[in-house]
Amino acid sequence: MKALQPDTLIRNPNGVPIVAGVIVNCEAARVWDLVGRFSNFDAFIPALSRIEMIGTGVGALRTKIFHDGNCAVEQLNSRDDDAMHMTWTTIYNTLGVARLWAAINVQALGAQSAKVTWTIIAEPEDTTRKGFEAFVQDFADSALNNVRKLLDKP
């Protein structure tokens, strides 16, 4: 019998990055305080009913529970408060996503303006599924538009 060897089901997705971005008329630090908290995405994604966390910092797991009953479990891979960016990987979900890696970044554009960029690389479970990229793009665009609505100063 062959000895067991280390293995994993987690691997990075392949695909073209889907990028969403908005400019918010608000201080970059305030924008980062909203989008940079891994445990707080329900503050700007109305489809989420709640988030449950296990652990803190890099390696922490969050379970996002959606109002429709779907869920996604994600691991925080990296986070840098000074550079205002973080990355995460989906390790389980009921949304039809085989693999997903994401990054969010906030860039100051002066004292009262910031750009938020959300980059997602994802693969659908069903590779014949039509509209997967559009679904992911619409989800990210909608979330970032909510960030702008919450923080934009006239």
Side-chain angles (χ1 to χ4, degrees), residues 76-143:
L76 182 62
N77 298 330
S78 69
R79 179 185 165 85
D80 185 326
D81 283 324
D82 294 329
M84 294 187 288
H85 64 74
M86 68 179 172
T87 65
W88 62 95
T89 302
T90 299
I91 57 177
Y92 173 82
N93 72 88
T94 58
L95 298 165
V97 179
R99 280 166 287 289
L100 183 143
W101 172 90
I104 202 156
N105 179 55
V106 176
Q107 176 187 4
L109 302 175
Q112 295 297 315
S113 184
K115 181 176 182 182
V116 184
T117 305
W118 191 351
T119 304
I120 300 169
I121 302 174
E123 295 176 22
E125 281 181 0
D126 179 358
T127 57
T128 65
R129 179 177 171 186
K130 301 274 190 243
F132 178 75
E133 289 83 9
F135 164 75
V136 174
Q137 185 75 61
D138 289 345
F139 182 83
D141 287 342
S142 175

Side-chain angles (χ1 to χ4, degrees), residues 18-87:
I18 297 166
V19 180
V22 294
I23 294 176
V24 182
N25 293 316
C26 179
E27 307 85 13
R30 188 160 173 236
V31 177
W32 178 244
D33 188 50
L34 178 62
V35 302
R37 289 195 289 150
F38 194 59
S39 62
N40 196 44
F41 275 40
D42 54 339
F44 60 92
I45 300 175
L48 291 173
S49 66
R50 70 184 187 281
I51 293 177
E52 298 172 359
M53 293 295 301
I54 298 175
T56 59
V58 171
L61 300 176
R62 74 174 170 196
T63 301
K64 298 187 305 192
I65 294 101
F66 292 81
H67 290 289
D68 66 5
N70 280 301
C71 71
V73 179
E74 299 169 327
Q75 181 177 37
L76 182 62
N77 298 330
S78 69
R79 179 185 165 85
D80 185 326
D81 283 324
D82 294 329
M84 294 187 288
H85 64 74
M86 68 179 172
T87 65

